[in-house]
Amino acid sequence: MAQFEMLEGKKAKLTITVAGDVFEKAVDAAYHKTAGRYSVPGFRKGKAPRKIIEKAYGEGVFYEDAFDAVWGTAYDAAIAEHDLVPVDQPSLDINKIGPDGVEFVAVVQLQPDVTLGQYQGVSVPKANLEVTDEDVDKALEDEREKQARFADVDRAAENGDRLLLDYSGSVDGVQFDGGTAEDQTLVLGSGAFIPGFEEQLIGTKAGEQKDITVTFPTEYHAKELAGKEAVFACNVKAVQVKELPEIDDDFIADISEFDTVAEWKADKKEKMIEEKQRAATVARENAALKAVCDNATVEIPEVMIDRQVDYMVRDLEYRLSGSGLDMNTYCQYLGTSLDEMKKNFRPEAEERVKMQLVLDAVIKAEALTVNDEEIDAEIDRYAEANGMVSEDLKPRLSEDDKNYFKERATVDKAVRLIADSAVETSEEA
């Protein structure tokens, strides 16, 4: 049994008792596990009887290890007894400990209460699902651009031409990291290089060498170069002009499974409408969820925001590792620090935590549950999104995994309830 008291700031104070016989078993187990730590004259290490060790080192010599072994089970039972939802690890204080058992106090932050406002029938912007002929023509022009070829020309470079060049950059006569390249392609007017670089190459010809002087922006990501004047020694190897193919039935046959331009356009329009519908569904959900969160009131404990920030940092580290980067290098590239990045993450972290709490409150208010078919559907969606075979995945799922998908399916149900009941305004998104 445990005594429960609610403290200010939505914290629980639990006074928990562990019976003497339970604690005695833990003390004896601690003796058998740790006796080898203690040296007692006349006995080989680890062979001295418990009473001898206790006499030499004090009656409570095994109490710390025994307490570590019993408090977690007793605490979990107290949490379940009073139906509490902690959001952090508890702080512990021992009131008394000895042969008669243990009494300790656990103080823990609980999940905050959420006061829901309107969560059904919230207003969302009307989605624009129209796909025009101009949209389809633009998509076809993009395909044409992908098939562009570049041919060498024997004339001075003009805006829009592509150059093939080598260059070597230096500041005060010293080359800097990342300032040298060979066989680099550059489309003049693209803005791919720092301001002033491309403009000075207009008028150059193949085989020409030219020194270009530019000044790095004061907000340049590499701080050692920010605001510095640099000289790039350029060797123009080729001036090239873009050649685009004609859009006709032969072109369509080359790039697709269709035989005519008309067939390609009809299929493309249908796919673009489907994509707009998918995007509109996501936009509707996001807008509805934001409205519901704005309507809700909740005081979020700092520890929940801290944990979400840590999760976001770990997630970023994982994604960076896939590109061969570490967090320190990434921070240096951005000209920031890990502490500053965490600070910048906090507003989004708070929004995420609030959304999670609000959805939990909606699930509770609507008494939402999911059946086995809905859980299986959630597993199927996960498997498809991650390139897995659902029927291969399901037999390998642990109980924790199954609970995870049950929670996902329940949250999805709450999101659908909110989004499906939302009312579109006349203003288009």
Side-chain angles (χ1 to χ4, degrees), residues 129-138 269 272 276:
L129 299 178
E130 182 185 11
V131 174
T132 66
D133 291 341
E134 289 76 14
D135 294 329
V136 178
D137 289 341
K138 171 66 168 57
K269 187 169 188 176
M272 291 176 74
K276 272 207 167 187

Side-chain angles (χ1 to χ4, degrees), residues 134-206:
E134 289 76 14
D135 294 329
V136 178
D137 289 341
K138 171 66 168 57
L140 183 54
E141 187 62 32
D142 290 341
E143 290 296 327
R144 186 188 186 205
E145 287 285 343
K146 292 177 185 177
Q147 304 302 318
R149 297 291 183 266
F150 288 88
D152 292 352
V153 291
D154 185 18
R155 60 166 172 76
E158 300 173 358
N159 214 32
D161 290 343
R162 189 174 80 168
L163 302 187
L164 179 68
L165 72 160
D166 301 336
Y167 61 80
S168 176
S170 59
V171 173
D172 297 330
V174 179
Q175 291 186 351
F176 54 86
D177 291 340
T180 300
E182 293 183 355
D183 295 330
Q184 178 76 36
T185 58
L186 171 63
V187 176
L188 298 182
S190 65
F193 280 33
I194 61 176
F197 188 99
E198 297 171 24
E199 292 85 345
Q200 296 180 57
L201 287 171
I202 292 176
T204 57
K205 294 183 177 181

Side-chain angles (χ1 to χ4, degrees), residues 31-32 34-40 43-49 53:
Y31 156 68
H32 286 97
T34 66
R37 300 177 189 170
Y38 306 100
S39 298
V40 179
F43 295 91
R44 284 184 296 142
K45 205 166 189 179
K47 298 301 181 180
I53 296 176

